Amino acid sequence: MFEAFKSWLKQSNQPQKLFDHRDEEEIHVALAHLLYHIISIDKMESSREKETFCEIMREEFELNDEQIGQLYHYVESLNSDFHNDLQTINAHLVKNPHLKMAFMQKLIHMMSLDGVSNAELDVFYDAMRVVFPELEPKSAI
């Protein structure tokens, strides 16, 4: 029994991947675009933010530096609404609800690298409403 508990603790301390489909381009772009939106929303892209972007993309999808660089430059030029990205990400997280908090932690980490702006908080709250719709207050009728 104690060994099973130790094994569970060891596994829970390992970084978990949020997404099962490492080869699915749609989720790569959605996560990359959302992270880039957080990086660029304050009009100050820092090297720490870019490094964290690379780290997240490497951990989640096992992409190499060249692939990550290409993806970064691709999402830089996108003009799409990040809310669509949130919906795409959530569609994957619904299949793994225990990873929803891990996703939110990644957003918090990205936002907190250089101080949190109100615009970044707005993105976080938007993500929270999409990922955790049950937390939305019910309107009294």
Side-chain angles (χ1 to χ4, degrees):
M1 172 98 167
F2 183 67
E3 288 302 315
F5 181 67
K6 278 182 18 183
S7 174
W8 177 81
L9 276 177
K10 185 178 177 185
Q11 288 177 351
S12 68
N13 286 332
Q14 300 299 318
Q16 294 185 15
K17 297 198 182 310
L18 298 175
F19 309 105
D20 289 333
H21 307 287
R22 288 189 292 277
D23 58 344
E24 196 168 312
E25 186 177 320
E26 178 185 42
I27 191 65
H28 292 189
V29 172
L31 182 61
H33 189 241
L34 178 62
L35 294 175
Y36 178 76
H37 184 72
I38 292 170
I39 290 170
S40 65
I41 200 165
D42 61 1
K43 310 281 191 258
M44 297 183 303
E45 296 179 33
S46 74
S47 60
R48 290 175 59 193
E49 290 172 321
K50 289 180 182 179
E51 288 170 15
T52 301
F53 173 94
C54 294
E55 185 180 301
I56 291 171
M57 298 310 289
R58 192 175 299 112
E59 285 173 6
E60 289 302 321
F61 305 118
E62 299 174 5
L63 300 177
N64 63 40
D65 291 340
E66 183 180 342
Q67 292 168 315
I68 294 168
Q70 290 172 352
L71 188 57
Y72 190 87
H73 291 299
Y74 176 72
V75 298
E76 271 182 315
S77 65
L78 286 180
N79 291 324
S80 62
D81 183 8
F82 77 92
H83 290 93
N84 295 331
D85 301 320
L86 282 173
Q87 294 299 332
T88 300
I89 291 166
N90 191 51
H92 283 75
L93 290 176
V94 165
K95 300 171 193 169
N96 296 306
H98 61 284
L99 294 177
K100 289 180 176 185
M101 287 304 292
F103 168 69
M104 297 306 288
Q105 281 182 309
K106 288 185 187 298
L107 291 185
I108 290 169
H109 178 68
M110 176 64 81
M111 290 171 24
S112 66
L113 291 171
D114 296 323
V116 181
S117 70
N118 287 336
E120 289 171 326
L121 278 175
D122 290 342
V123 172
F124 176 79
Y125 291 132
D126 286 345
M128 190 173 69
R129 280 188 284 278
V130 169
V131 174
F132 296 103
E134 62 274 12
L135 296 179
E136 194 70 29
K138 305 292 185 223
S139 61
I141 298 179

